[in-house]
Amino acid sequence: MEKTTTLFLLFSTLLLTTSLAKDLCHKDDKNTLLKIKKSLNNPYHLASWDPETDCCSWYSIECGDASVNHRVTSLYIEYGKFSGQIPPEVGDLPFLKYLAFHKLPNLTGHIQPTIAKLKNLTYLRLSWTSLTGPIPEFLSQLENLEIINLSFNNLTGSIPSSLSSLQKLEYIDLSRNKLTGPIPESFGSFSGRIPNLLLSHNQLSGSIPKSLGKLDFDQIDFSRNKLQGDASILFGTSKRAWSNIDISRNKFQFDLSKVMLTKTVGRLDLNHNGITGNIPVQWTKSDIYSLNVSYNRLCGRIPQGGDLQKFDSYSYFHNKCLFGAPLPTSK
Ligand SMILES: *[C@@H]1O[C@H](CO)[C@@H](O)[C@H](O)[C@H]1NC(C)=O
Ligand SMILES: *[C@@H]1O[C@H](CO)[C@@H](O)[C@H](O)[C@H]1NC(C)=O
Ligand SMILES: *[C@@H]1O[C@H](CO)[C@@H](O)[C@H](O)[C@H]1NC(C)=O
Ligand SMILES: *[C@@H]1O[C@H](CO)[C@@H](O)[C@H](O)[C@H]1NC(C)=O
Ligand SMILES: *[C@@H]1O[C@H](CO)[C@@H](O)[C@H](O)[C@H]1NC(C)=O
């Protein structure tokens, strides 16, 4: 009898201490997460979100260390069967640094306005959803943002020019939406570092602001929009090595003859525009990793040398009167 009691006591103390030691979750965060789960109609995907267990161990959740009292720092929900909107309670996780809703085709509505409260956010990813409406202005007040990824949604309206005030931005990925209007003039004056700009597969129009020519981008993807005018301001001998520029499938019209390249070019894709002139001999002096000038209105002989014969005819075909290897040698 006595033995069983001792054993029982020992066992329950053990259970108590382990469960106490394990529950690092802050009770406010746990309450908030349980509200989020309820807002999403208690999906099976979040079955591990059990109020009896430590929320820091739940699926899709990460907590910070003791220095931030184990507050929830990451909410990363992907590939679930949810429908409805982003729950407003996401704004009540004040220590959140990473927020993602990804590959949720039935996630609808606008970008949740309460996200504006998440001043510690460094990473925001809302991708492959059915979110609609505009890119909210409030993003520019989330001063710690480093990565904004709003690709593969149904967002409309124009790109807020205020995004350029974000000093820590490394990436802006707004590709594959239904954005209209111009690339903001302010994007030529990012006040901090110069982010990679990925704006492909939208309906952006107008010309590239002159101010962008002053910046030295690492990666630009403006492909598949309705941009026009002169894009040559993106190139030049003073630009950084290994830059990756894709302006294909737009309506750009400029003379390529005077466009000089930097010593090492990562990728240059100009296909499907209205670019005229010829390919400068100077291009034979650059190391070019990847090139595509097809479907333009170029003329003249492709200069011999450098990397220019490394590419096959598909990099050069469908121009007005371009000739020379790898294309047929006369026109
Ligand atoms: C999205 O909703 C449709 C229609 O209600 C349903 O057939 C489909 O299975 C849902 N998909 C996901 C991934 O939730
Ligand atoms: C952000 O994090 C700091 C500590 O890192 C904390 O003091 C603050 O309350 C957090 N939340 C907001 C909304 O600033
Ligand atoms: C989003 O856009 C796709 C492709 O244009 C369309 O099939 C889908 O119905 C749209 N979804 C919403 C919620 O508007
Ligand atoms: C943004 O998300 C898309 C879609 O999943 C992905 O392909 C892309 O690489 C992401 N962009 C960045 C900058 O991480
Ligand atoms: C260049 O672009 C054209 C048009 O999109 C495409 O058909 C061709 O395969 C591309 N060339 C290379 C080498 O990728």
Side-chain angles (χ1 to χ4, degrees):
M1 185 67 184
E2 207 178 296
K3 217 177 180 179
T4 351
T5 320
T6 325
L7 248 170
F8 176 75
L9 269 173
L10 198 80
F11 189 65
S12 42
T13 325
L14 212 90
L15 248 178
L16 198 71
T17 45
T18 47
S19 64
L20 273 180
K22 265 179 74 185
D23 200 358
L24 299 170
C25 181
H26 193 281
K27 70 172 188 348
D28 293 351
D29 290 346
K30 186 180 274 187
N31 284 337
T32 301
L33 291 172
L34 290 170
K35 282 183 200 155
I36 290 173
K37 182 181 177 183
K38 195 172 167 212
S39 271
L40 293 169
N41 296 315
N42 298 314
Y44 176 70
H45 193 69
L46 304 181
S48 70
W49 292 22
D50 170 358
E52 302 306 318
T53 59
D54 177 12
C55 80
C56 296
S57 70
W58 293 354
Y59 187 62
S60 301
I61 302 297
E62 271 172 37
C63 295
D65 58 21
S67 68
V68 288
N69 296 320
H70 304 285
R71 298 298 299 254
V72 170
T73 52
S74 172
L75 174 64
Y76 209 111
I77 296 185
E78 54 182 353
Y79 301 103
K81 290 216 167 200
F82 307 117
S83 44
Q85 313 210 352
I86 297 177
E89 293 85 359
V90 296
D92 299 327
L93 295 167
F95 285 75
L96 216 53
K97 289 174 82 169
Y98 305 91
L99 176 63
F101 285 88
H102 172 61
K103 290 265 181 179
L104 302 166
N106 291 344
L107 190 73
T108 54
H110 288 195
I111 293 179
Q112 178 51 246
T114 61
I115 291 174
K117 293 194 275 180
L118 300 173
K119 302 292 185 206
N120 285 339
L121 214 56
T122 62
Y123 176 102
L124 176 63
R125 180 180 198 180
L126 307 170
S127 51
W128 289 98
T129 73
S130 295
L131 288 172
T132 53
I135 297 174
E137 287 284 345
F138 71 70
L139 292 183
S140 64
Q141 283 142 39
L142 303 178
E143 289 173 4
N144 291 306
L145 278 174
E146 290 168 9
I147 295 180
I148 298 178
N149 192 345
L150 305 177
S151 62
F152 291 89
N153 297 297
N154 284 355
L155 301 174
T156 51
S158 55
I159 301 173
S161 58
S162 57
L163 292 181
S164 65
S165 68
L166 290 167
Q167 306 246 357
K168 298 179 184 169
L169 270 186
E170 290 167 22
Y171 264 102
I172 304 182
D173 191 345
L174 309 177
S175 19
R176 307 234 182 200
N177 280 288
K178 293 174 179 151
L179 301 172
T180 51
I183 296 171
E185 181 76 44
S186 67
F187 277 21
S189 54
F190 279 97
S191 42
R193 50 189 301 162
I194 299 160
N196 294 337
L197 274 186
L198 309 176
L199 309 176
S200 74
H201 289 83
N202 279 290
Q203 292 152 28
L204 300 173
S205 58
S207 47
I208 296 180
K210 286 242 172 348
S211 56
L212 257 70
K214 289 180 283 169
L215 299 188
D216 201 3
F217 289 95
D218 191 29
Q219 188 182 4
I220 277 184
D221 188 354
F222 293 164
S223 65
R224 295 190 191 247
N225 278 287
K226 294 174 178 168
L227 297 164
Q228 55 182 330
D230 188 358
S232 66
I233 51 171
L234 299 176
F235 317 109
T237 49
S238 63
K239 299 289 181 182
R240 77 162 74 190
W242 289 107
S243 60
N244 182 339
I245 310 279
D246 186 350
I247 58 165
S248 65
R249 295 184 190 256
N250 278 284
K251 297 174 179 171
F252 289 117
Q253 282 183 353
F254 57 94
D255 182 356
L256 199 64
S257 315
K258 292 183 198 70
V259 172
M260 301 294 127
L261 295 183
T262 189
K263 191 78 192 73
T264 313
V265 176
R267 176 164 171 245
L268 193 54
D269 196 342
L270 311 179
N271 86 71
H272 280 96
N273 280 289
I275 302 169
T276 54
N278 50 47
I279 299 177
V281 175
Q282 191 264 353
W283 287 26
T284 61
K285 300 202 163 61
S286 291
D287 297 321
I288 307 173
Y289 185 74
S290 161
L291 178 72
N292 199 335
V293 296
S294 66
Y295 290 90
N296 278 293
R297 294 198 211 122
L298 296 169
C299 272
R301 179 183 288 277
I302 298 171
Q304 303 296 296
D307 280 338
L308 295 182
Q309 277 67 46
K310 191 176 84 180
F311 310 110
D312 64 20
S313 59
Y314 295 106
S315 292
Y316 298 101
F317 74 154
H318 274 276
N319 271 287
K320 196 171 160 207
C321 43
L322 199 59
F323 68 99
L327 294 178
T329 47
S330 63
K331 197 81 191 183

